[in-house]
Amino acid sequence: ELGCWARVQSICVSLLKVPLMFGFLYLFVCSLDVLSSAFQLAGGSRVAGTPGSLVASAVPAACCSLSLAGKVAGDIFKDNAILSNPVAGLVVGILVTVLVQSSSTSTSIIVSMVSSGLLEVRSAIPIIMGSNIGTSVTNTIVALMQAGDRSEFKRAFAGATVHDCFNWLSVLVLLPLEVVSGYLHHVTRLVVSTFNIRSGKDAPDLLKIITEPFTKLIIQLDKSVITGIATGDESLRNRSLIRVWCGPASPQMAAVGLGPPPNCTGPGHCSTKGIEILHNVTRQKCEHLFTDTPLPDLAVGLVLLAGSLVVLCTCLILLVKLLNSLLKGQVAKAIQKVINTDLPHPLSWLTGYFAMVVGAGMTFVVQSSSVFTSAITPLIGLGVISIERAYPLTLGSNIGTTTTAILAALASPGDKLASSFQIALCHFFFNISGILLWYPLPFTRLPIRMAKALGERTAKYRWFAVLYLIICFLLLPSLIFGISMAGWQALVGVGAPFLSLLFFVGLVNALQAHSPGRLPKWLQTWDFLPAWMHSLQPLDRVITQATLCCTDRCRSPEGWEEHEGPPRDKARLGLDNPVLSYPEEMPSPTIRVGSPRPLPRGATRL
């Protein structure tokens, strides 16, 4: 029993944690905004001596899309010879969105290009699909921050990758369907022709109202430079992305600034004391940290990248700590019950759809699916939100993020309004089609099962999370891009056998788990294959040894002949957790590294 004073102190500390938690959440969202700006600035510098578009052929295009963002995003989107290939367009959408950390940026460029007539709607649809995949990388990276605890990491990574699995599965089905039938193009054209669409205002950005007062003091970017390059304005190619001059100056500022004789550099262009006069229009100099910096865009981008990552990781770790201390005991049970409980019996089947509406509404408010999904990822890791409830919330977030492009398209010129609105609707109908494929019936919710399997794998081998990110968002798209540029014959020749093998492995795994008697005896397990083909344990031993080698500054080879196996190694690396250890990681007799090791039955499936 706590005394009166101790109880008052406990209550005061708990009350203090709430505003502190919102403060860290605010800084977390702001750091995501600055991180996006940093990626665009870091890719803003051009390769010296390379005229025109940086995307001149297939291999240079892949290299540029992997290493550059910002202005180069406009260059990549500008090359119609590449974007006319649907698979290449898909990969470009993935890579650019991954690099700029914002599907809003990539989709706004696409809408601008369609609005200006430089890109056809049919060619823009695969890029929209790619941007949907690329935007899911943010919450997957956020899940890595909970790698310290196996159980939390398993739940957080599963909750983050359910978004990835949904997007990849949807593209795998809908992209070939779109190439063959053009159903998205025809459906959206019918919708546009049915309704009398009128031009409207720009999309509201409600989150900016809260975050912009802080982020604009750090950096301000001129987004028109990227869009201008994509739409063919070569005069913007050498201009810096850092905004120097902002809106019109107030009369008081103009009166103060025009006291001394102004410095005129040309007819109609004068400036003095932070005031610029351009063709009789008075503009005020922006007030942020890098307004008058002599540093190039690349240097500023790298500085902001390092700073924003430090703030992002720090805020996320502190948020998880605060949530852990607040959401425990009866409070956690009450919140879990409210969030994860279904509606009353006759309407229980509507619970998921209601969660979609909530996810769409929250994403519309913050105008960013990355922010919303990244915010719920720590809650999934803590067990407050189950993955079964997080799945419809994520699907709703996918729908909510399409409203930005739809409302932005309404601001297009009258003669191009129909085509720009059509491509914005393609984004919406793509997500609706994915939901119809992978949600209504329980047995079609493959993304949940796939995400849980990935969560189990990453909890067991935590390095697998980094490998997953590199393969799914970098190596695999680049490989597909290179093969697709060799022609559709090469793509079919490589893709068809690979997909057939993937389907066969999945089918055999399902039968091994549920009906092994239907399979031949030799196929009831994968033990007939070498260990490295059906288990990650050999690779885990190699990575553990390599990490220890770096930690111990490469001990002599004799020291590696015999030791107490992976459990002891992971204990020395601080990666062990006895309560959550897996059976094959429990203490065992001395073994020789590299020797075959019996695997449990569950670990033999691919």
Short mmCIF file of all heavy atoms in Angstrom, two decimals, residues 536-580:
data_model
loop_
_atom_site.label_atom_id
_atom_site.label_comp_id
_atom_site.label_asym_id
_atom_site.label_seq_id
_atom_site.Cartn_x
_atom_site.Cartn_y
_atom_site.Cartn_z
N LEU A 536 17.24 -21.26 -42.28
CA LEU A 536 18.13 -20.10 -42.16
C LEU A 536 19.21 -20.30 -41.11
O LEU A 536 20.03 -19.42 -40.89
CB LEU A 536 17.31 -18.85 -41.80
CG LEU A 536 16.38 -18.31 -42.88
CD1 LEU A 536 15.56 -17.14 -42.33
CD2 LEU A 536 17.15 -17.87 -44.10
N GLN A 537 19.22 -21.46 -40.45
CA GLN A 537 20.20 -21.68 -39.39
C GLN A 537 21.65 -21.66 -39.88
O GLN A 537 22.51 -21.08 -39.21
CB GLN A 537 19.90 -23.00 -38.67
CG GLN A 537 18.71 -22.91 -37.74
CD GLN A 537 18.52 -24.16 -36.92
OE1 GLN A 537 19.25 -25.14 -37.07
NE2 GLN A 537 17.50 -24.14 -36.06
N PRO A 538 21.98 -22.28 -41.04
CA PRO A 538 23.36 -22.17 -41.51
C PRO A 538 23.79 -20.73 -41.73
O PRO A 538 24.90 -20.32 -41.35
CB PRO A 538 23.35 -22.97 -42.82
CG PRO A 538 22.23 -23.93 -42.66
CD PRO A 538 21.20 -23.20 -41.88
N LEU A 539 22.91 -19.92 -42.35
CA LEU A 539 23.24 -18.51 -42.56
C LEU A 539 23.30 -17.76 -41.24
O LEU A 539 24.13 -16.85 -41.07
CB LEU A 539 22.19 -17.88 -43.49
CG LEU A 539 22.40 -16.42 -43.88
CD1 LEU A 539 23.74 -16.25 -44.59
CD2 LEU A 539 21.27 -15.94 -44.77
N ASP A 540 22.45 -18.15 -40.28
CA ASP A 540 22.48 -17.51 -38.97
C ASP A 540 23.82 -17.75 -38.27
O ASP A 540 24.37 -16.85 -37.65
CB ASP A 540 21.33 -18.06 -38.12
CG ASP A 540 21.27 -17.41 -36.75
OD1 ASP A 540 21.14 -16.18 -36.67
OD2 ASP A 540 21.37 -18.14 -35.74
N ARG A 541 24.36 -18.98 -38.39
CA ARG A 541 25.65 -19.27 -37.79
C ARG A 541 26.76 -18.45 -38.44
O ARG A 541 27.65 -17.95 -37.75
CB ARG A 541 25.95 -20.77 -37.90
CG ARG A 541 25.12 -21.63 -36.96
CD ARG A 541 25.71 -23.02 -36.83
NE ARG A 541 25.59 -23.77 -38.08
CZ ARG A 541 24.59 -24.60 -38.35
NH1 ARG A 541 23.60 -24.74 -37.47
NH2 ARG A 541 24.54 -25.26 -39.48
N VAL A 542 26.67 -18.29 -39.77
CA VAL A 542 27.69 -17.50 -40.47
C VAL A 542 27.64 -16.05 -40.03
O VAL A 542 28.66 -15.43 -39.73
CB VAL A 542 27.49 -17.62 -42.00
CG1 VAL A 542 28.40 -16.63 -42.73
CG2 VAL A 542 27.75 -19.03 -42.47
N ILE A 543 26.42 -15.49 -39.94
CA ILE A 543 26.28 -14.08 -39.55
C ILE A 543 26.71 -13.90 -38.10
O ILE A 543 27.37 -12.91 -37.75
CB ILE A 543 24.82 -13.62 -39.76
CG1 ILE A 543 24.50 -13.57 -41.26
CG2 ILE A 543 24.59 -12.25 -39.12
CD1 ILE A 543 23.07 -13.22 -41.58
N THR A 544 26.36 -14.84 -37.22
CA THR A 544 26.77 -14.74 -35.83
C THR A 544 28.29 -14.78 -35.70
O THR A 544 28.89 -13.99 -34.97
CB THR A 544 26.16 -15.90 -35.01
OG1 THR A 544 24.73 -15.84 -35.12
CG2 THR A 544 26.54 -15.80 -33.55
N GLN A 545 28.92 -15.68 -36.44
CA GLN A 545 30.38 -15.76 -36.40
C GLN A 545 31.02 -14.49 -36.95
O GLN A 545 32.01 -14.00 -36.40
CB GLN A 545 30.86 -16.98 -37.20
CG GLN A 545 30.52 -18.30 -36.55
CD GLN A 545 31.09 -19.48 -37.33
OE1 GLN A 545 31.99 -19.31 -38.15
NE2 GLN A 545 30.54 -20.65 -37.09
N ALA A 546 30.45 -13.97 -38.07
CA ALA A 546 31.01 -12.76 -38.65
C ALA A 546 30.89 -11.59 -37.69
O ALA A 546 31.81 -10.77 -37.55
CB ALA A 546 30.30 -12.44 -39.96
N THR A 547 29.76 -11.50 -36.98
CA THR A 547 29.57 -10.42 -36.01
C THR A 547 30.55 -10.55 -34.85
O THR A 547 31.14 -9.57 -34.40
CB THR A 547 28.13 -10.43 -35.47
OG1 THR A 547 27.22 -10.45 -36.57
CG2 THR A 547 27.86 -9.22 -34.62
N LEU A 548 30.73 -11.79 -34.37
CA LEU A 548 31.69 -12.01 -33.30
C LEU A 548 33.11 -11.71 -33.75
O LEU A 548 33.92 -11.19 -33.00
CB LEU A 548 31.60 -13.46 -32.82
CG LEU A 548 30.40 -13.79 -31.92
CD1 LEU A 548 30.31 -15.28 -31.69
CD2 LEU A 548 30.52 -13.07 -30.59
N CYS A 549 33.40 -12.05 -35.03
CA CYS A 549 34.74 -11.78 -35.56
C CYS A 549 35.03 -10.29 -35.55
O CYS A 549 36.11 -9.85 -35.18
CB CYS A 549 34.85 -12.34 -36.98
SG CYS A 549 36.47 -12.15 -37.73
N CYS A 550 34.02 -9.49 -35.96
CA CYS A 550 34.20 -8.04 -35.94
C CYS A 550 34.29 -7.52 -34.51
O CYS A 550 35.06 -6.61 -34.20
CB CYS A 550 33.06 -7.36 -36.68
SG CYS A 550 32.99 -7.74 -38.44
N THR A 551 33.49 -8.12 -33.60
CA THR A 551 33.50 -7.67 -32.21
C THR A 551 34.82 -7.98 -31.53
O THR A 551 35.39 -7.16 -30.81
CB THR A 551 32.35 -8.34 -31.45
OG1 THR A 551 31.12 -8.05 -32.12
CG2 THR A 551 32.27 -7.82 -30.03
N ASP A 552 35.34 -9.18 -31.79
CA ASP A 552 36.58 -9.61 -31.13
C ASP A 552 37.82 -9.29 -31.95
O ASP A 552 38.91 -9.79 -31.66
CB ASP A 552 36.53 -11.11 -30.88
CG ASP A 552 35.39 -11.49 -29.95
OD1 ASP A 552 34.86 -10.57 -29.28
OD2 ASP A 552 35.03 -12.66 -29.89
N ARG A 553 37.65 -8.48 -33.01
CA ARG A 553 38.76 -8.11 -33.90
C ARG A 553 39.44 -9.35 -34.46
O ARG A 553 40.66 -9.50 -34.47
CB ARG A 553 39.78 -7.23 -33.16
CG ARG A 553 39.18 -5.93 -32.69
CD ARG A 553 40.21 -5.02 -32.08
NE ARG A 553 39.61 -3.75 -31.67
CZ ARG A 553 40.29 -2.77 -31.11
NH1 ARG A 553 41.58 -2.89 -30.87
NH2 ARG A 553 39.68 -1.64 -30.78
N CYS A 554 38.56 -10.24 -34.95
CA CYS A 554 39.02 -11.43 -35.68
C CYS A 554 40.02 -12.25 -34.87
O CYS A 554 41.23 -12.13 -35.03
CB CYS A 554 39.62 -11.04 -37.03
SG CYS A 554 38.41 -10.33 -38.15
N ARG A 555 39.47 -13.07 -34.01
CA ARG A 555 40.34 -13.95 -33.23
C ARG A 555 41.02 -14.96 -34.15
O ARG A 555 40.66 -15.14 -35.29
CB ARG A 555 39.50 -14.72 -32.20
CG ARG A 555 38.85 -13.80 -31.18
CD ARG A 555 38.12 -14.62 -30.15
NE ARG A 555 37.14 -15.50 -30.79
CZ ARG A 555 36.48 -16.43 -30.13
NH1 ARG A 555 36.70 -16.62 -28.85
NH2 ARG A 555 35.58 -17.17 -30.75
N SER A 556 42.00 -15.65 -33.64
CA SER A 556 42.73 -16.64 -34.44
C SER A 556 41.79 -17.76 -34.84
O SER A 556 40.85 -18.10 -34.12
CB SER A 556 43.88 -17.21 -33.63
OG SER A 556 43.40 -17.85 -32.46
N PRO A 557 42.02 -18.39 -36.02
CA PRO A 557 41.11 -19.45 -36.49
C PRO A 557 40.97 -20.59 -35.50
O PRO A 557 39.93 -21.23 -35.43
CB PRO A 557 41.80 -19.91 -37.78
CG PRO A 557 42.64 -18.76 -38.22
CD PRO A 557 43.09 -18.08 -36.96
N GLU A 558 42.04 -20.86 -34.68
CA GLU A 558 41.93 -21.97 -33.75
C GLU A 558 40.82 -21.75 -32.73
O GLU A 558 40.24 -22.68 -32.20
CB GLU A 558 43.26 -22.18 -33.01
CG GLU A 558 44.39 -22.68 -33.90
CD GLU A 558 44.99 -21.58 -34.76
OE1 GLU A 558 44.64 -20.39 -34.53
OE2 GLU A 558 45.79 -21.88 -35.65
N GLY A 559 40.54 -20.47 -32.45
CA GLY A 559 39.51 -20.16 -31.46
C GLY A 559 38.11 -20.48 -31.91
O GLY A 559 37.19 -20.48 -31.12
N TRP A 560 37.97 -20.74 -33.24
CA TRP A 560 36.63 -20.99 -33.77
C TRP A 560 36.34 -22.48 -33.95
O TRP A 560 35.28 -22.84 -34.43
CB TRP A 560 36.48 -20.31 -35.13
CG TRP A 560 36.42 -18.84 -35.03
CD1 TRP A 560 37.38 -17.94 -35.34
CD2 TRP A 560 35.31 -18.06 -34.58
NE1 TRP A 560 36.97 -16.68 -35.11
CE2 TRP A 560 35.69 -16.71 -34.65
CE3 TRP A 560 34.04 -18.37 -34.10
CZ2 TRP A 560 34.85 -15.69 -34.28
CZ3 TRP A 560 33.19 -17.35 -33.74
CH2 TRP A 560 33.61 -16.02 -33.82
N GLU A 561 37.32 -23.34 -33.63
CA GLU A 561 37.12 -24.74 -33.93
C GLU A 561 35.93 -25.32 -33.15
O GLU A 561 35.06 -25.95 -33.71
CB GLU A 561 38.38 -25.53 -33.59
CG GLU A 561 39.52 -25.28 -34.56
CD GLU A 561 39.16 -25.69 -35.98
OE1 GLU A 561 38.47 -26.72 -36.14
OE2 GLU A 561 39.53 -24.98 -36.92
N GLU A 562 35.93 -25.08 -31.86
CA GLU A 562 34.84 -25.62 -31.05
C GLU A 562 34.43 -24.58 -30.02
O GLU A 562 35.28 -23.92 -29.42
CB GLU A 562 35.27 -26.90 -30.31
CG GLU A 562 35.48 -28.08 -31.25
CD GLU A 562 35.67 -29.38 -30.47
OE1 GLU A 562 35.57 -29.31 -29.23
OE2 GLU A 562 35.91 -30.42 -31.10
N HIS A 563 33.17 -24.41 -29.85
CA HIS A 563 32.65 -23.56 -28.78
C HIS A 563 31.25 -24.04 -28.47
O HIS A 563 30.83 -25.09 -28.95
CB HIS A 563 32.67 -22.07 -29.20
CG HIS A 563 31.90 -21.77 -30.43
ND1 HIS A 563 30.54 -21.64 -30.43
CD2 HIS A 563 32.32 -21.59 -31.71
CE1 HIS A 563 30.13 -21.38 -31.66
NE2 HIS A 563 31.17 -21.34 -32.46
N GLU A 564 30.50 -23.27 -27.72
CA GLU A 564 29.24 -23.78 -27.21
C GLU A 564 28.06 -23.42 -28.08
O GLU A 564 26.93 -23.43 -27.64
CB GLU A 564 29.02 -23.28 -25.78
CG GLU A 564 30.08 -23.81 -24.83
CD GLU A 564 29.75 -23.47 -23.41
OE1 GLU A 564 28.60 -23.09 -23.16
OE2 GLU A 564 30.62 -23.58 -22.55
N GLY A 565 28.31 -23.09 -29.35
CA GLY A 565 27.22 -22.96 -30.30
C GLY A 565 26.57 -21.61 -30.30
O GLY A 565 26.91 -20.70 -29.55
N PRO A 566 25.54 -21.42 -31.17
CA PRO A 566 24.86 -20.13 -31.35
C PRO A 566 24.30 -19.53 -30.08
O PRO A 566 24.36 -18.32 -29.90
CB PRO A 566 23.76 -20.47 -32.36
CG PRO A 566 24.27 -21.67 -33.09
CD PRO A 566 25.08 -22.44 -32.12
N PRO A 567 23.72 -20.31 -29.14
CA PRO A 567 23.19 -19.66 -27.94
C PRO A 567 24.24 -18.87 -27.18
O PRO A 567 23.98 -17.76 -26.73
CB PRO A 567 22.64 -20.84 -27.11
CG PRO A 567 22.36 -21.91 -28.11
CD PRO A 567 23.43 -21.77 -29.16
N ARG A 568 25.45 -19.46 -27.03
CA ARG A 568 26.50 -18.75 -26.30
C ARG A 568 26.94 -17.52 -27.08
O ARG A 568 27.20 -16.46 -26.51
CB ARG A 568 27.68 -19.70 -26.07
CG ARG A 568 28.86 -19.06 -25.35
CD ARG A 568 28.47 -18.66 -23.92
NE ARG A 568 29.62 -18.12 -23.21
CZ ARG A 568 30.47 -18.86 -22.52
NH1 ARG A 568 30.31 -20.17 -22.46
NH2 ARG A 568 31.49 -18.30 -21.90
N ASP A 569 27.05 -17.67 -28.41
CA ASP A 569 27.45 -16.54 -29.23
C ASP A 569 26.47 -15.39 -29.09
O ASP A 569 26.84 -14.24 -28.92
CB ASP A 569 27.53 -16.96 -30.71
CG ASP A 569 28.66 -17.96 -30.96
OD1 ASP A 569 29.56 -18.01 -30.11
OD2 ASP A 569 28.63 -18.65 -32.00
N LYS A 570 25.16 -15.70 -29.15
CA LYS A 570 24.17 -14.64 -29.08
C LYS A 570 24.13 -14.02 -27.68
O LYS A 570 23.81 -12.85 -27.53
CB LYS A 570 22.79 -15.19 -29.45
CG LYS A 570 22.73 -15.59 -30.92
CD LYS A 570 21.33 -15.95 -31.35
CE LYS A 570 21.30 -16.25 -32.83
NZ LYS A 570 19.96 -16.52 -33.33
N ALA A 571 24.48 -14.81 -26.67
CA ALA A 571 24.55 -14.24 -25.33
C ALA A 571 25.67 -13.21 -25.25
O ALA A 571 25.53 -12.15 -24.66
CB ALA A 571 24.78 -15.35 -24.30
N ARG A 572 26.82 -13.52 -25.90
CA ARG A 572 27.93 -12.58 -25.88
C ARG A 572 27.59 -11.31 -26.65
O ARG A 572 28.10 -10.24 -26.37
CB ARG A 572 29.17 -13.24 -26.49
CG ARG A 572 29.71 -14.38 -25.65
CD ARG A 572 30.83 -15.09 -26.37
NE ARG A 572 31.86 -14.13 -26.71
CZ ARG A 572 32.64 -14.23 -27.79
NH1 ARG A 572 32.46 -15.22 -28.63
NH2 ARG A 572 33.56 -13.33 -28.03
N LEU A 573 26.73 -11.45 -27.67
CA LEU A 573 26.34 -10.28 -28.45
C LEU A 573 25.19 -9.52 -27.81
O LEU A 573 24.74 -8.51 -28.35
CB LEU A 573 25.92 -10.70 -29.87
CG LEU A 573 27.04 -11.23 -30.76
CD1 LEU A 573 26.47 -11.80 -32.04
CD2 LEU A 573 28.03 -10.13 -31.07
N GLY A 574 24.65 -10.00 -26.70
CA GLY A 574 23.54 -9.33 -26.04
C GLY A 574 22.22 -9.53 -26.74
O GLY A 574 21.31 -8.73 -26.61
N LEU A 575 22.10 -10.63 -27.54
CA LEU A 575 20.88 -10.86 -28.30
C LEU A 575 20.01 -11.95 -27.70
O LEU A 575 19.02 -12.34 -28.29
CB LEU A 575 21.23 -11.24 -29.75
CG LEU A 575 22.02 -10.22 -30.55
CD1 LEU A 575 22.34 -10.77 -31.94
CD2 LEU A 575 21.25 -8.92 -30.68
N ASP A 576 20.40 -12.49 -26.56
CA ASP A 576 19.65 -13.62 -26.02
C ASP A 576 18.54 -13.14 -25.11
O ASP A 576 18.61 -12.10 -24.50
CB ASP A 576 20.58 -14.57 -25.26
CG ASP A 576 21.20 -13.89 -24.04
OD1 ASP A 576 21.39 -12.67 -24.12
OD2 ASP A 576 21.48 -14.57 -23.04
N ASN A 577 17.49 -13.94 -25.05
CA ASN A 577 16.37 -13.70 -24.15
C ASN A 577 15.85 -15.07 -23.76
O ASN A 577 15.09 -15.67 -24.50
CB ASN A 577 15.29 -12.86 -24.84
CG ASN A 577 14.21 -12.44 -23.86
OD1 ASN A 577 14.01 -13.07 -22.83
ND2 ASN A 577 13.51 -11.37 -24.18
N PRO A 578 16.28 -15.62 -22.63
CA PRO A 578 15.96 -17.02 -22.31
C PRO A 578 14.47 -17.30 -22.31
O PRO A 578 14.05 -18.37 -22.70
CB PRO A 578 16.57 -17.21 -20.91
CG PRO A 578 17.62 -16.15 -20.80
CD PRO A 578 17.12 -14.98 -21.59
N VAL A 579 13.67 -16.33 -21.88
CA VAL A 579 12.23 -16.58 -21.79
C VAL A 579 11.64 -16.81 -23.17
O VAL A 579 10.72 -17.59 -23.36
CB VAL A 579 11.54 -15.39 -21.11
CG1 VAL A 579 10.04 -15.59 -21.07
CG2 VAL A 579 12.09 -15.24 -19.70
N LEU A 580 12.17 -16.10 -24.18
CA LEU A 580 11.61 -16.15 -25.51
C LEU A 580 12.47 -16.95 -26.47
O LEU A 580 12.32 -16.84 -27.67
CB LEU A 580 11.44 -14.72 -26.06
CG LEU A 580 10.49 -13.86 -25.24
CD1 LEU A 580 10.61 -12.41 -25.66
CD2 LEU A 580 9.07 -14.34 -25.41
#
